[in-house]
Amino acid sequence: RPPTPRKFPTVKQATSAPNGTGGLDPFRGSTGVTVLVAATEIDPGEEVTVDFIGLGGESGIGSVMGVKPNTSNGLEFAIPAPVVAANIPVRGDGRKVEVRYWAGRDVQHSAVYTLTINELSGESFGSVNCTGVQIGSPATLSKSEVAENGAAIEIEKWAYHEGAQLINVWAVASGDRKDFLEGAPTPITADGNFTTPLPQDYVAPLPVNSRLTLYASVSFDQGHSYRDFKSMEIKLVS
């Protein structure tokens, strides 16, 4: 009969249960997570590698295979933040990660640890803003003060940000949608914001006292899914 597999690993930043499952607050993984292997499971001299298998399977964007320990004699394994980010659920799509390790000459991996990451809510994740807008109920933007090069749609740097992520930015006015960016990269400016123009020639034809709503969504998994920032409704004034 096959040998009993070695005990499952755990994730340092997660809350783990005795049955080999764990839950992770997404803000605790924003710089990556650490997989832990119990020293009692490893014999002296055995080499250990970790597999962190998430979105897309073994070769997917949410996975990293054969991770070596942080130090030559350690049993801690660093999982990069972009890999963690790809496994954060979007609109309850039920993503899970399987974590396992291989030790010595084993032909069977350890027992599997199943990690669930909590979803990022729109309220906690980030908001769309616009320069020149007067905050109120509703927020207002003076059409006459929008410069020729437009106003700036801004989003403060968000958790897990990296410039290779993809972003959509658009507006809706009177039920009509206008896309400003579709699947564009997300470089952050020196002052810590992502920014893109709200064009003057988009604002100019809209009637005074009409309303538009600015939206944005970003992908942590190269376009497989997008998570929404909190939108911003604006009333146009003269």
Side-chain angles (χ1 to χ4, degrees), residues 117-238:
I117 306 176
N118 296 335
E119 193 159 343
L120 284 163
S121 71
E123 293 294 324
S124 65
F125 181 51
S127 302
V128 180
N129 297 294
C130 185
T131 59
V133 166
Q134 300 298 312
I135 300 302
S137 299
T140 59
L141 176 65
S142 172
K143 293 179 61 177
S144 61
E145 293 181 8
V146 176
E148 187 175 340
N149 60 354
I153 301 170
E154 293 186 334
I155 306 169
E156 291 185 356
K157 184 176 180 179
W158 52 90
Y160 292 96
H161 172 267
E162 58 167 349
Q165 290 172 352
L166 303 178
I167 195 166
N168 300 319
V169 180
W170 70 99
V172 175
S174 300
D176 294 326
R177 173 170 171 158
K178 172 64 176 178
D179 290 285
F180 304 126
L181 293 175
E182 296 181 77
T186 61
I188 294 291
T189 61
D191 59 1
N193 292 329
F194 171 81
T195 184
T196 193
L198 174 62
Q200 185 191 54
D201 61 6
Y202 172 76
V203 175
L206 299 175
V208 171
N209 294 326
S210 66
R211 301 193 183 203
L212 65 91
T213 304
L214 298 176
Y215 296 91
S217 61
V218 67
S219 178
F220 287 177
D221 50 30
Q222 289 300 294
H224 177 84
S225 63
Y226 283 85
R227 68 193 69 246
D228 297 325
F229 294 99
K230 186 178 178 183
S231 61
M232 183 181 208
E233 185 181 41
I234 300 169
K235 180 181 179 180
L236 296 174
V237 297
S238 58

Side-chain angles (χ1 to χ4, degrees), residues 87-109:
N87 292 296
I88 299 174
V90 178
R91 288 180 283 280
D93 61 10
R95 300 182 199 193
K96 295 184 184 297
V97 180
E98 293 188 348
V99 189
R100 67 193 188 193
Y101 61 90
W102 302 82
R105 298 182 179 180
D106 285 357
V107 295
Q108 178 182 355
H109 59 69

Side-chain angles (χ1 to χ4, degrees), residues 52 54 65 68 86 115-116 128 139 187:
F52 190 93
M65 307 289 289
K68 295 182 178 180
L115 178 68
T116 302
V128 180

